[in-house]
Amino acid sequence: MIKRRGHKIREGSQGSPQPITGPHPPTTAQGRGGHFGTTAARSTSVPAPPMAAPAPPSRSSPVSLRARRPPAANGGRRGRRRERARGGAAMEEVSARFVAQKISKARWRPLPAAALQPPDVFATGSWDNEDNRLSVWAVGELGSGEYLGEPQLLCDIGHDGDVMDMQFLDQERIVVASSTGSVTVFRHHQNNQTLSVNQRWEKAHYHVDQDTSCGGAACTGVICNNPEIVTVGEDGRINLFRADQKDAVRTIDNADSSTLHAVTFLRTTEILTVNSIGQLKIWDFRQQRNEPSQIFSLTGERVPLHCVDRHPNQQHIVATGGQDGMLSIWDIRQGTMPVSLLSAHEAEMWEVHFHPSNPDHLFTCSEDGSLWHWDTSTDVSEKPSFLHHGGRSTTYLSHSTINQSVVCAWLNNDPTKDRMEITNLIPNQTLSVNSLDVLGPCLVYGTDAEAIYVNRQLFA
Amino acid sequence: MEEADTEPPLVVRDWGRVGGPGGTGTDREGGPGGARDQDIYIQTLRKLFNESHGVFIGLQRCEEELAGKSRKAHLVQVSKNYRSVIRACMEDMHPGTTTKSETRPCSFQVSILSAMELIWNLCEILFVEAAAAGPLLLRLLDWIRLHVCDVDSMVREVLSSENPSKHKLFWNVVDVFVLQGRMDEARHLLSKEASANPTSMSMYKVLDDLMMKMPLGNTQTLTELELKWQHWHEECQRYLRDGTFASNPHMESICKILAGDENAMLEKKELLTTWYHFLVTRLLYSHPTVKPMELHFYAQSSMDLFLGEESSPEPLDTILMAAFEFELHQVIKECSIALSNWWFVAHLTDLLDHCKLLQSHNLYFGSNMREFLLLEYASGLFSHHSLWQLGVDYFDHCREYGRVYLELHIERIPLNTEQKALKVLRICEQRHMHEQVRSICKIMAMKALRNNRLGSALSWSIRAKDAAFATLISDRFLKDYCERGCFSDLDLIDNLGPSMLLSDRLTFLGKYREFHRLYGEKRFSEAAKLLLMLMTAHIAPCSFWMTLLTDALPLLEQKEVIFSAEQTYELMQCLEDLTAGKPDKQKLLDDDVETTKVEMLRLALARNLARVIVKEGTLEGS
């Protein structure tokens, strides 16, 4: 077996006394309508135990992305040895691989219901290439704490157009949205590691003006709830497909006058969409009317929303990310405006994901090349946290622990109670992080720098 | 499994057929922009471009933070990172991952990469690290050991055989170790031979002793080293004179080499493989305290001795020679000519510039050499369908012309999807390139318009703050309304917010829609007020007045009186303005419908006026 050199990303400075003070501590945009909850997300400076020192979200940190042993130092023998030397350390949990294609999407293969092991296979899609590809990767065994290298390519297949969005339908099938407007279901044959086209809906999204030869409109979002597949596109159309049917079950033409950027299921018959004029819409497929059942919107500035995700347990909580990098938390039971606006990234937030089994954790990635881990689970009763602020040292003691379990941390808009720890997982990145996915203790993300990264000890 | 770890072969001879990035060396000086970077299109090199981009950014970021010693150490580290990137790329190309058919061009690429690393490493020793006499030789030895690595496979072959000392390559391996100054390994091998040959034990002992005592190292001062070395050298020569090794030709030649006999070294030409290996071996055994400035003398004579009469120097030889001569600009020039990419020279020059080695040199065109080369490289990246994003950061770090280049290149990026447009837009917005932002938004708005996506088109023109285009689209909306009698894209028009003020027509569109909504909600008096305001404040275009007046008809005909007397007068004036403005001729051309409309309006207005006078009179009277 050939062991390949894995790239390590050294994160932050382990056990360093450096307080976590981000260059732009996420705070509420107060100028955006006074009656929003003033959820001030703070980066607390926890005197952390050495094993879990989070990386400071500092962009200007001179910490080198890669701390490599120089090749000259080991006289002609390369690679492997220096990996071994640094293998077992707990901080070396990120492995990376340059893949010679810009990654637009990365998704873990879902685990079978009874599985206990962490996920080990994920799929990626590329964009802006002359020949775009859908690839399936495996990450090696973690073994006895020893690191065994970068993701290995299992198989790949050409894809017509940019991969705009991607979702596993089940263990074997992947639904891929293309910039050509087609939606394809690929089947991953695990016995001989090949990919094949299972089903394709050509021009699922198209522009009405079809006198031009290429009338297809980019399909920007796809979501599945086996066997149902919902797609949205630049043409403002919503399609509902069933995996086994040739024609669309339901199509809502002109569902939106602007571009629909993303879609997610709210309940089995209801979906959420976000569009380029800052609206969050609920659509109910039980209704025959081609109108949204509810419209929520950011006031005033019409900042486009790029991504949406729903809290896995509490379905009324929805998170969206916008063009200005703002994270909005909505409570769709009440009001038409977000419960809280948290200023986060400096550029477009491309994806937002609640952790599927640990929804106190949220992950966002952005065009500015950062990936943030939002953690509201900080239990202050165990860790006394000292918030250094303006020279004062305030000790927060355990607060109303009775209520905590009832009121979700994401909707808690009392600033004195709010405790959110935010970590930038990529200190020195420059190019856009286009996609991320979390499952169990594992995180995968892909960038425009043509690299995929896997972090397998997210909560270490 | 060991194969993956062997060093890629150094096929320097392939260099002859490599063309420069600009084709020939002469037309390259014609100015930036013309040259095409062929290597940009090689799939396997994309990793190199992407990874080195990160190193490059890191280097620019810490520009002035460090000073003195730590700065130098950091620059050396950066240089090593660059080499590490090259090596990583070579490893990826290495056989085992490729099929047979791909092997050929791949191994060619590997040889190019390997040569690039070789040059880079030498430049690192001589320019970045600027090693002084003493350490210099150690660095050069490392350099040779790293790049002449046929020996590793040979060693494995010999050691894995049943009886190493009887292997036909045994003495070759020992010789290579000696030539590379790897004394411990050589002694280890020799001890095997010694144990198999008890008769010549004493001879081995002497040679082993000599090899062990060889003074090398960086702990002592230069004079100390020189003294010790002189002593050791004399000892070697004494043994040679005494004929201690006369019975064994292998050992005698080794001793000759130790004593610095150049002819003995040249006899091992096949093992040395290259003249620079010969140079380093020669320095090791004849001039261990060589000063940087003396290098070029030895280099030149070593090359002449090694190559002899029969062959002329290859491009690689010329480049290395230029480096030994400390002719920085010559190195860069030769590399530009010999290599088919700008990657190498651009990054190397940038690094050397950070070492403050290029300051005196200004070109008669462009700003300076670093910038010129970076611009060339980045332009090459921009010509690639996918790598253009990397080019942006390189342009950012070209102070003088970077921005102009970026402006020119960014407009030529094809925008197939909105997502890509957004990414390009972000790049422009971050750099306050307003002209480009406008142009991109306009392109996207036009596209949307062509696809009948009025909503999207309006969004784009609002983002660009393009009033003229917003007017155009608003007119389309109004035209659609006139034709179909209902609005499309209500979700957008209802949510225009402050962006409504971008253009008059857009304001009118928003307000007119508001009128419809008020009317729909049966808030008639508010609707009437708004309708009148649209005309009297001249928000509505004149061409639309007739439609507005027609819209007033049902309000006039309502059971309850909506328009006040004053409002009715104003409405009447609007109608008169409209009809009076039109010349008679055109009036004739208008069909009957139009005239009927005007008649109906006049009637309705008159009736309303009558009703309102009565109503207002009674209200005031009561």
Side-chain angles (χ1 to χ4, degrees), chain A residues 5 66 68 257 434 450, chain B residues 46 50-51 84 88 423 491:
Chain A
R5 197 184 49 112
R66 172 163 307 134
R68 274 188 178 161
S257 57
N434 290 327
E450 306 190 342
Chain B
R46 282 173 74 160
N50 275 292
E51 222 179 340
S84 182
K423 280 176 182 273
D491 52 348

Side-chain angles (χ1 to χ4, degrees), chain B residues 532 556 561-573 605-606 608-617 620:
Chain B
L532 196 60
L556 291 166
V561 186
I562 295 157
F563 288 103
S564 70
E566 204 160 324
Q567 285 173 323
T568 318
Y569 287 131
E570 283 181 66
L571 271 179
M572 288 167 120
Q573 196 188 342
L605 282 167
N608 189 66
L609 189 61
R611 282 160 63 196
V612 79
I613 288 171
V614 172
K615 189 187 162 207
E616 280 172 9
E620 275 164 39

Side-chain angles (χ1 to χ4, degrees), chain A residues 177-247:
Chain A
S178 163
S179 62
T180 62
S182 65
V183 178
T184 316
V185 181
F186 290 95
R187 185 179 285 277
H188 175 215
H189 306 275
Q190 291 175 38
N191 40 6
N192 57 358
Q193 293 303 349
T194 52
L195 278 165
S196 65
V197 176
N198 182 246
Q199 194 168 9
R200 175 172 285 157
W201 294 281
E202 296 283 355
K203 295 239 167 87
H205 291 270
Y206 58 93
H207 288 300
V208 186
D209 184 41
Q210 274 191 321
D211 50 13
T212 49
S213 56
C214 50
C219 175
T220 51
V222 60
I223 189 82
C224 331
N225 185 7
N226 197 4
E228 280 169 341
I229 300 165
V230 179
T231 66
V232 296
E234 278 182 14
D235 55 355
R237 191 171 274 114
I238 299 175
N239 284 313
L240 172 64
F241 297 107
R242 287 180 73 87
D244 44 1
Q245 284 178 26
K246 229 178 134 233
D247 295 311

Side-chain angles (χ1 to χ4, degrees), chain B residues 107-221:
Chain B
S107 70
F108 176 63
Q109 280 307 319
V110 169
S111 77
I112 295 290
L113 283 173
S114 167
M116 293 202 304
E117 213 249 314
L118 178 84
I119 301 166
W120 193 298
N121 198 349
L122 185 63
C123 291
E124 179 184 312
I125 295 165
L126 296 178
F127 306 126
V128 182
E129 200 175 355
L136 174 65
L137 183 67
L138 296 179
R139 296 284 173 284
L140 287 175
L141 274 174
D142 283 339
W143 176 60
I144 285 298
R145 285 168 196 169
L146 186 58
H147 290 96
V148 182
C149 18
D150 309 340
V151 65
D152 289 340
S153 56
M154 235 193 312
V155 172
R156 258 194 300 275
E157 198 183 319
V158 169
L159 285 180
S160 60
S161 70
E162 263 175 43
N163 192 351
S165 58
K166 291 285 177 286
H167 197 277
K168 61 178 185 329
L169 290 175
F170 176 80
W171 284 104
N172 278 358
V173 172
V174 178
D175 284 344
V176 169
F177 281 144
V178 172
L179 290 171
Q180 293 191 358
R182 292 155 77 169
M183 287 306 166
D184 292 338
E185 284 150 287
R187 284 173 54 210
H188 177 73
L189 265 186
L190 275 177
S191 69
K192 283 188 192 301
E193 168 78 358
S195 56
N197 248 346
T199 47
S200 47
M201 196 57 152
S202 62
M203 209 156 70
Y204 283 113
K205 235 317 45 108
V206 175
L207 189 60
D208 189 63
D209 200 43
L210 268 184
M211 288 166 98
M212 189 184 68
K213 278 196 292 190
M214 177 173 166
L216 250 191
N218 28 14
T219 49
Q220 51 218 334
T221 63

